[in-house]
Amino acid sequence: MQTKTLWIKEAYLRQILDGRKTIEVRVAYSNITGLQTGDRLLLNEKHLYAIRRVGRYANFDEMLETEDPIAIAPDTNPDQLLDRIRAIYPPEKERLGTIALEIEPAPTLNVHMLYDYGQQELDLLRSQLQPGIILTVGKDIAGESEYHVLVGGRPNRQQLTSSPNLHTLIVPWVGIPLETRDLLAGYPHIAVHNLHHNAAPTAELAIALLFAATKFIIPYDRTLRQNDWSMRYLERSQARLLDGKTALVLGYGAIGKRIAQACRALGMTVLAVKRKPAQASDDVAHEIRAPQDLHELLTRADALLICLPLTRETEDLIGEKELAMLPENSVLVNVGRGPIVNEEALYNALRDGQLHAAGLDVWYNYPSDKESRSNTPPASVPFHKLDNVVMSPHRGGDTVETGRLRMPHLANLLNCANEGMPIPNKVNLKSGY
């Protein structure tokens, strides 16, 4: 399916909008010669129509022998129509051929967003949506609705059932919450897709955490703020070198590959684990292996960087046994989900020096409401008492530019849906990503 724009005279457009004309006649316009049944025609960049039938003729006479002159020009005497057409088009145009298009108003795609993003972001989204997409925004849905696509990460049952037309859910981030996955199991007709707009900022934070943890930047900063230079004169430095070491990236998707690129640029050997590795290596990772090879890879990993989604298969994937496999002085960075790493095992490994350090952006406890945001411990164990932990409040994908990154990605998915094209980033509910 394709959409092409055609500029026509305003008076002619009025006739079409009034429903008086179903046949569009143009001669050798290069921008419509490739149209087929099912394509869309955008009239004057405002009015979207679906092509119901395409007639192609060698000249005007042949067209009028086949088409209904009344449908072509309701206000013109059929005996005079050929002369009028020839008065409009020069002879050389007629020799190029004639196209007759039977059109009807194109169906719209109704999209409802559960998140009320800022006005600038919404304006950006609307500016990139194709004609024919109607966008509504708001958490509350009153009565029966008509949306075809729902944008939200944690919809409730009422939001999934309010519209009998709903066929697609777009989760506006990477991954899918377990509660959403469980709920959608009862709605197999709803396809699920997500966005990868936050790959760059999340990967950047992962590398920032890697540096901060490996180089002990937070303790250095904290003591020097107190005019204490003692850490400069330690007999044994707490910082570690990354150059020449080995990084293991768990989850070699949009985020993981960016992390791998940065690690390789630092002079590290890069190993990657991917659920379905299509090849043994690529231009970034030296080795790409399947999950069943994880234990062997852990024994080689000086830095373990986790960017997996949380599923039943990945929960507690890294526990006491796996942490003990890491080489001495290894560093762990988690920008995936907290419960992928066993909470108590991670704390013990950091407390006892089995792990050199960790940088954590994802956690085990989150505030349940606005009031609890200032007094909710991120874990049930005291990570905050350990100097070798860098703590970040799950802001991996958040930058000043993130909203502007999200909307073009979302617009691309919605435009694909509007065109009847395959929508990118489909989520496999069985695997969770």
Side-chain angles (χ1 to χ4, degrees):
M1 181 190 296
Q2 58 181 320
T3 301
K4 292 197 175 182
T5 301
L6 180 66
W7 286 93
I8 64 175
K9 292 181 179 180
E10 190 67 24
Y12 192 31
L13 176 62
R14 287 295 106 200
Q15 290 182 323
I16 295 173
L17 295 179
D18 291 340
R20 297 172 58 192
K21 198 178 288 278
T22 57
I23 297 292
E24 177 76 42
V25 180
R26 283 298 178 266
V27 181
Y29 277 87
S30 60
N31 66 322
I32 66 168
T33 53
L35 284 174
Q36 300 177 7
T37 299
D39 288 341
R40 280 99 57 89
L41 193 64
L42 186 60
L43 303 181
N44 295 12
E45 291 192 343
K46 296 179 181 178
H47 309 285
L48 190 65
Y49 280 77
I51 307 299
R52 305 302 303 162
R53 183 175 59 82
V54 180
R56 305 180 192 278
Y57 306 100
N59 51 54
F60 297 135
D61 295 276
E62 182 180 324
M63 178 192 70
L64 292 180
E65 288 177 1
T66 306
E67 301 290 344
D68 179 8
I70 300 298
I72 295 173
D75 298 329
T76 301
N77 186 315
D79 295 333
Q80 299 174 344
L81 181 56
L82 183 58
D83 292 336
R84 291 209 175 185
I85 293 175
R86 284 186 168 142
I88 296 173
Y89 297 104
E92 60 269 21
K93 288 289 187 181
E94 179 176 2
R95 287 197 295 271
L96 293 173
T98 302
I99 299 175
L101 302 176
E102 183 179 345
I103 62 177
E104 67 178 12
T108 57
L109 180 74
N110 294 307
V111 178
H112 186 79
M113 297 179 64
L114 296 175
Y115 297 101
D116 191 6
Y117 292 104
Q119 192 58 49
Q120 286 187 335
E121 294 179 9
L122 291 174
D123 289 344
L124 175 61
L125 174 62
R126 287 190 169 99
S127 72
Q128 299 192 23
L129 293 178
Q130 295 175 348
I133 299 178
I134 297 175
L135 180 67
T136 57
V137 180
K139 293 182 179 179
D140 297 327
I141 299 175
E144 187 171 296
S145 302
E146 297 183 351
Y147 47 83
H148 304 93
V149 178
L150 187 64
V151 181
R154 294 179 173 85
N156 58 40
R157 192 174 301 277
Q158 185 259 339
Q159 291 162 344
L160 292 179
T161 57
S162 288
S163 172
N165 302 325
L166 179 62
H167 56 68
T168 300
L169 172 70
I170 296 178
V171 177
W173 58 73
V174 176
I176 178 171
L178 285 175
E179 63 270 24
T180 301
R181 179 182 171 188
D182 290 341
L183 179 60
L184 286 167
Y187 304 92
H189 64 285
I190 299 177
V192 183
H193 302 259
N194 58 17
L195 297 183
H196 294 171
H197 68 284
N198 61 346
T202 303
E204 287 179 7
L205 182 69
I207 297 303
L209 291 172
L210 176 64
F211 277 130
T214 305
K215 306 301 182 182
F216 263 64
I217 291 175
I218 303 300
Y220 291 168
D221 174 87
R222 186 166 54 243
T223 54
L224 192 57
R225 286 176 186 272
Q226 299 170 2
N227 302 323
D228 180 356
W229 289 73
S230 60
M231 296 194 77
R232 182 177 188 268
Y233 300 102
L234 294 173
E235 290 186 8
R236 183 182 179 188
S237 173
Q238 292 177 296
R240 294 289 184 267
L241 184 68
L242 292 171
D243 182 45
K245 302 293 177 59
T246 297
L248 172 57
V249 179
L250 295 189
Y252 196 56
I255 296 172
K257 191 159 189 177
R258 284 179 175 270
I259 293 173
Q261 287 173 328
C263 289
R264 183 150 184 169
L266 293 172
M268 304 183 77
T269 297
V270 178
L271 313 176
V273 172
K274 189 174 183 179
R275 184 166 59 96
K276 293 182 178 180
Q279 51 193 8
S281 64
D282 60 11
D283 58 345
V284 178
H286 297 85
E287 295 181 36
I288 305 174
R289 306 277 287 275
Q292 54 263 35
D293 298 326
L294 174 61
H295 285 183
E296 186 267 317
L297 296 174
L298 286 171
T299 63
R300 302 161 57 189
D302 301 296
L304 175 61
L305 300 112
I306 301 167
C307 44
L308 289 167
L310 179 62
T311 69
R312 289 179 179 82
E313 291 73 28
T314 63
E315 187 171 3
D316 273 341
L317 179 67
I318 304 298
E320 180 180 356
K321 177 182 178 181
E322 286 73 24
L323 292 172
M325 294 177 178
L326 292 169
E328 185 180 3
N329 294 321
S330 292
V331 176
L332 182 147
V333 172
N334 191 359
V335 292
R337 290 294 183 269
I340 293 171
V341 184
N342 181 273
E343 178 182 16
E344 187 173 352
L346 177 59
Y347 173 78
N348 291 339
L350 289 163
R351 181 197 60 194
D352 299 341
Q354 183 181 343
L355 272 179
H356 175 64
L360 308 175
D361 183 52
V362 287
W363 297 95
Y364 305 91
N365 301 325
Y366 285 82
S368 58
D369 50 42
K370 190 173 183 179
E371 288 69 29
S372 62
R373 291 177 184 176
S374 61
N375 58 8
T376 298
S380 59
V381 291
F383 283 108
H384 62 282
K385 293 184 178 181
L386 302 177
D387 283 340
N388 58 346
V389 178
V390 182
M391 302 175 66
S392 172
H394 203 153
R395 302 287 285 182
D398 184 68
T399 64
V400 172
E401 299 86 357
T402 299
R404 295 197 294 272
L405 292 173
R406 177 186 288 110
M407 295 312 171
H409 281 74
L410 178 56
N412 178 50
L413 267 64
L414 295 177
N415 289 337
C416 286
N418 188 46
E419 292 183 351
M421 302 287 288
I423 305 175
N425 308 338
K426 186 170 184 179
V427 175
N428 184 325
L429 287 180
K430 289 185 178 180
S431 62
Y433 55 94

